[in-house]
Amino acid sequence: MQRSPDLIKQLDHSTDQLKRARLRSMQWLAVGLLLLAALVFAVARSQRGAHPAWGYVEAFAEASMVGAIADWFAVVALFRHPLGIPLWHTAIIPNSKADIGRSLGAFVENHFITEQGIAERIAQADPAARLGTWLADEAHARQLGMASAGVAKQLLAMADHDKLGQLLREQASNYLGQLNLSDVAADCIDALIADGKPQQLLDFLLDRGAAYLDDEAHHAAIGDFVLGAFQIENALIKKAVKAYEPRMIASLQKFAIAVRLDPGHPLRQRIAGWIADSALHLKADPQWQETVRRYQLQLVASDTVQAMLGDVWKHISTRVLADLHADQPVLAQAIASLARNTGRVLGTDDHARAWLNGAIVAGSGSLVRRYRGEVGAFIAARLDLWSKEEMSERIELAIGRDLQFIRINGTIVGGLAGLLIYAASQAF
């Protein structure tokens, strides 16, 4: 399959060949008229005495030859030296190549690349409406989504995942290290208190504790815990503790139920006070804040957290690539949906279209102001790449066929002028 540049080059070559053929045909037509005028002149000259009318024919043919040769010289002098003779002020286009490039660039800058002209053309084109119509089409939206997913897949395939993973880990570590965890924790505690969550948690723990104490299967374990907690080794004391174990457990259970049933129980108030005090300490106590800060930095710098942060990009990229290789990637569907919605908005909302067209006009004005000077320089630079001969040939192919009509008209008009002059000389 041919590449686009090759195809364009072939089309340009074919176009040049067609122009060259049409130019040659017109050149031969002009030359043919000159030869015809010469032939008529020769015949009329030879028959001059046979009839007075031959004088008129001779004058017409002679003037036609003069006009044809003069206009041939004028046309040829634009592109090259006539007959290869370097006469003064000939080969005008090749010798003025640099001036033509600058003048053409300045002309395009001053008369085509203007803010007003481009703004008017954009307003006439209404690109926002056209974009809205294109995006609202289901096929176009789906095509845009799949194309975007394809681009994302290629970018991920070319990405340096090790560097991206390291960058993400470093950024996340910096963010977590700079986070004021004391304020965050204090705000969370305040929010929990405002929502009554500490009391709900206490109710949950009391319910679970009472249920645990009510289960006789746990009583032996509770007694062993008490003996271990007080490090009781004396057999007599152990026996006494075991004897009071049921009463102790019943007393704990009764206390837990009493706290659970009484919303105003002093223990509840005390626990609520502890929690509120902890929030205040986190907000205003430098010692608490320094302690939290120290543990925070140790946690962020720990091998476990660093390994976890280092694997974040790996997990993300794996999931995203898996989705992008699917027949209908989620990313493609999301972009297609966004495109359709954008198209509907642009199709129904006049203010949205006006805003987008205004933004395009404003952006084009900025681009014109910034790069208009580059246009002329670009044109001049492109023309400077051509040789004098190439530039002359290209311009001749573009306008040379029309210039041959000058030669043809010069032949005819010259002949008529000669005829009038001859007729006037005969009359007077």
Side-chain angles (χ1 to χ4, degrees), residues 118-157:
I118 291 179
E120 291 175 353
R121 187 67 186 92
I122 291 175
Q124 294 173 2
D126 193 5
R130 296 188 180 189
L131 178 62
T133 302
W134 192 89
L135 291 175
D137 185 85
E138 178 66 27
H140 291 158
R142 189 166 52 250
Q143 180 184 2
L144 179 62
M146 293 302 295
S148 301
V151 171
K153 181 166 61 177
Q154 292 180 4
L155 290 176
L156 279 176

Side-chain angles (χ1 to χ4, degrees), residues 234-249:
N234 188 280
L236 183 60
I237 298 177
K238 283 185 179 180
K239 186 175 181 180
V241 171
K242 285 293 184 181
Y244 280 95
E245 181 180 288
R247 186 179 297 179
M248 178 183 62
I249 292 175

Side-chain angles (χ1 to χ4, degrees), residues 183-260:
D183 285 347
V184 174
D187 291 340
C188 289
I189 293 174
D190 288 339
L192 291 173
I193 293 174
D195 203 25
K197 295 300 182 182
Q199 295 299 324
Q200 295 177 17
L201 176 60
L202 180 58
D203 289 342
F204 174 78
L205 294 175
L206 289 170
D207 288 338
R208 292 295 181 180
Y212 184 85
L213 293 171
D214 189 53
D215 189 349
E216 294 182 358
H218 300 146
H219 290 184
I222 295 173
D224 293 339
F225 173 78
V226 173
L227 293 174
F230 290 99
Q231 298 181 355
I232 299 174
E233 301 293 340
N234 188 280
L236 183 60
I237 298 177
K238 283 185 179 180
K239 186 175 181 180
V241 171
K242 285 293 184 181
Y244 280 95
E245 181 180 288
R247 186 179 297 179
M248 178 183 62
I249 292 175
S251 178
L252 287 173
Q253 185 178 16
K254 182 179 179 180
F255 179 77
I257 293 173
V259 176
R260 175 68 177 86

